[in-house]
Amino acid sequence: MLNPIGLISMQVARPFTPEHFAWFAKIKALGYDFIELLVPEPEDLDLAETRKAIEGSGLGVVLAARVSMQRNITSDDPAARATGLAYLKSAAAASAALGARILGGPLYGNPLVFAGRPPAPVSEDLRLRRIEWCVSALREAGAAAAEHGVTLAVEPLNRFETDFVSTTRQGIELIDLVGHANVRLMLDTFHMHMEDASLAEAIQVAGPRIAHFQANENHRGFVGTGSTDWVAVARALHAAGYEGPISLEPFRRDDQRIGIPVAQWRPPHEDESPKLRDSAALLRGVLAMGAHRL
Amino acid sequence: MLNPIGLISMQVARPFTPEHFAWFAKIKALGYDFIELLVPEPEDLDLAETRKAIEGSGLGVVLAARVSMQRNITSDDPAARATGLAYLKSAAAASAALGARILGGPLYGNPLVFAGRPPAPVSEDLRLRRIEWCVSALREAGAAAAEHGVTLAVEPLNRFETDFVSTTRQGIELIDLVGHANVRLMLDTFHMHMEDASLAEAIQVAGPRIAHFQANENHRGFVGTGSTDWVAVARALHAAGYEGPISLEPFRRDDQRIGIPVAQWRPPHEDESPKLRDSAALLRGVLAMGAHRL
């Protein structure tokens, strides 16, 4: 069976509010099976209404968590760790309320560039304590998620977005330390491109730990407009037995003006529907072929 | 004729001081033709002594500039622009004093993550003024560099390291706006991996503007340990007629422990000589083949 293919809500709007509900049907019509929704802040969305709108469109849903230095189970500030753990639990409850079974993202916290924080050396003592804090909180959050029938999918981020888990190997080590069936791994090819030697080898090594997957180009644009060997990625996912969701986040805009901050999220400035449709179709094509031999 | 191959001084030490001069001969023995030295701060190195040590080893030298928010020709703070311009002029003079003919780096300024600055929206008015400030300062610095027989090589950096010039196309646009023979382009495959659709196409489009080139893996490790198609890169450089220097900066360390900030520079913790030698040899191999047809 082929993996469900989804689209991140940030593709359309941020924050995503009820005025954007009409997008659910459009996304479905473009060939997507689910929406990956940022965990709604209370002021953005009513969960019951949102669930109704998503289900009405025929889409499934996956949730994406947003952490910060104050919502941070890896922090050396106990208050930030407590806030981070409470957030993961409430996000798992929100996932269940929305009908999602997967809550993904850099759940460990410790953002860098988007928190305006430069990379800095970490003492060995602090490094080890961070791991303890993170593992302990992920176990507790995983148990809470399990009660909701939700799986936490921990995503490594590139070296500029976090200083805690960047490579697939680091992600595997963390998941294995946690050792809870509801705490698994999420891989994003954009980050893998910057941190792993080979996408296919990393997928193979991660194997059954993978609970969620994001297919993004090396430059985070539309699948099929960059250098990624999607055939190799699809073949590796098939070899790993991965049948879970795959979502796209092509929210880099086609804008090459000098002085435009590429990493700054911007709303679309043109109709991107054809590229959205063709990216999903490309991915379905390589995934289908990934199951065949010559 | 084949391109000279060099190694960044950060591979060995940062700051690089006279106690590291013995490395010049070692680097030469590992198969390198030049050292790429960070522009010395006055307290680090005496220029005449350093030149003597480099020349004594038989290495050539290229200089790499270091900018900051205070050394920043793109800043909206006139004092930072003045400091940035004065720095570029003094760095060009230092290049000449050291015997270097190329001064490369993100000369436009505006660092992000390493300055602890998050990406933020830029008004169209400020964007246009930044371009004016930058173009005007690069013209003046280029004229000063020309008097020293030095070429400025402007390097696009990935979206997390700057918000001013990230793609090769943005770099080309900036160079063409400056329009000075001594202000040209530097390309680094690490950044290109994150920002360009195709390394080979970007090299081809940049063509004769390229004055300096850095060959780094997608993960910034040793050439040959990642996903880069070095044969395609070498063929593109040959097609572009590029005979200038190519340097390596493989200062990502082989360390996959959780919680180690990958972007934080660290000194080598093992003898990396075999990988340094083999990376240079690989590059020479593909460069030589790049000139052949089947």
Side-chain angles (χ1 to χ4, degrees), chain A residues 14 34 54 84 120 122-123 184 202 226 229 241 259 275 285 287:
Chain A
R14 182 184 188 174
F34 69 92
I54 294 172
V122 175
S123 73
R184 290 165 67 198
D229 183 347
K275 289 190 276 193
L287 287 166

Side-chain angles (χ1 to χ4, degrees), chain A residues 136-253:
Chain A
S136 151
L138 282 178
R139 273 188 199 140
E140 189 173 335
E147 286 179 24
H148 290 293
V150 170
T151 294
L152 306 182
V154 179
E155 179 187 23
L157 298 184
N158 71 74
R159 69 192 73 182
F160 302 117
E161 296 193 49
T162 189
D163 54 4
F164 196 66
V165 177
S166 291
T167 66
T168 297
R169 265 173 65 187
Q170 289 176 335
I172 290 172
E173 193 184 331
L174 178 60
I175 296 314
D176 290 354
L177 280 172
V178 173
H180 190 292
N182 288 64
V183 182
R184 290 165 67 198
L185 196 62
M186 164 174 172
L187 295 180
D188 177 332
T189 51
F190 173 71
H191 302 296
M192 296 171 81
H193 266 292
M194 296 169 61
E195 304 304 344
D196 291 327
S198 150
L199 270 58
E201 285 172 26
I203 291 166
Q204 200 160 5
V205 173
R209 297 175 189 85
I210 309 173
H212 188 31
F213 196 85
Q214 289 182 326
N216 291 309
E217 274 295 356
N218 59 299
H219 51 48
R220 213 189 232 321
F222 289 88
V223 162
T225 65
S227 310
T228 309
D229 183 347
W230 291 111
V231 170
V233 168
R235 196 182 292 141
L237 287 170
H238 177 74
Y242 182 65
E243 297 186 343
I246 299 180
S247 56
L248 279 70
E249 301 179 300
F251 49 75
R252 167 166 170 165
R253 307 303 174 195

Side-chain angles (χ1 to χ4, degrees), chain B residues 104-105 107-108 138 152-156 174-175 183-187:
Chain B
L107 308 180
Y108 44 82
L138 282 178
L152 305 181
V154 179
E155 179 188 23
L174 179 60
I175 296 313
V183 182
R184 291 165 67 198
L185 195 62
M186 164 175 173
L187 295 180

Side-chain angles (χ1 to χ4, degrees), chain A residues 227 256, chain B residues 156 166-170 172 185 187-189 191-193 195-210 213 232-233 236-237 240:
Chain A
S227 310
Q256 293 263 2
Chain B
S166 291
T167 66
T168 297
R169 264 172 66 187
Q170 288 174 334
I172 290 171
L185 195 62
L187 295 180
D188 178 332
T189 50
H191 303 296
M192 297 171 81
H193 266 292
E195 304 304 345
D196 291 326
S198 150
L199 270 57
E201 284 172 28
I203 290 167
Q204 200 161 6
V205 173
R209 297 174 189 86
I210 309 174
F213 195 84
V233 168
L237 287 171

Side-chain angles (χ1 to χ4, degrees), chain A residues 39-57:
Chain A
V39 174
E41 302 297 329
E43 66 274 21
D44 293 342
L45 288 176
D46 172 83
L47 299 183
E49 257 183 44
T50 307
R51 179 176 191 153
K52 204 176 146 190
I54 294 172
E55 289 183 350
S57 73

Side-chain angles (χ1 to χ4, degrees), chain B residues 197-230:
Chain B
S198 150
L199 270 57
E201 284 172 28
I203 290 167
Q204 200 161 6
V205 173
R209 297 174 189 86
I210 309 174
H212 187 31
F213 195 84
Q214 289 182 326
N216 292 308
E217 274 295 354
N218 59 299
H219 51 49
R220 211 187 235 319
F222 289 88
V223 161
T225 65
S227 310
T228 310
D229 184 347
W230 291 111

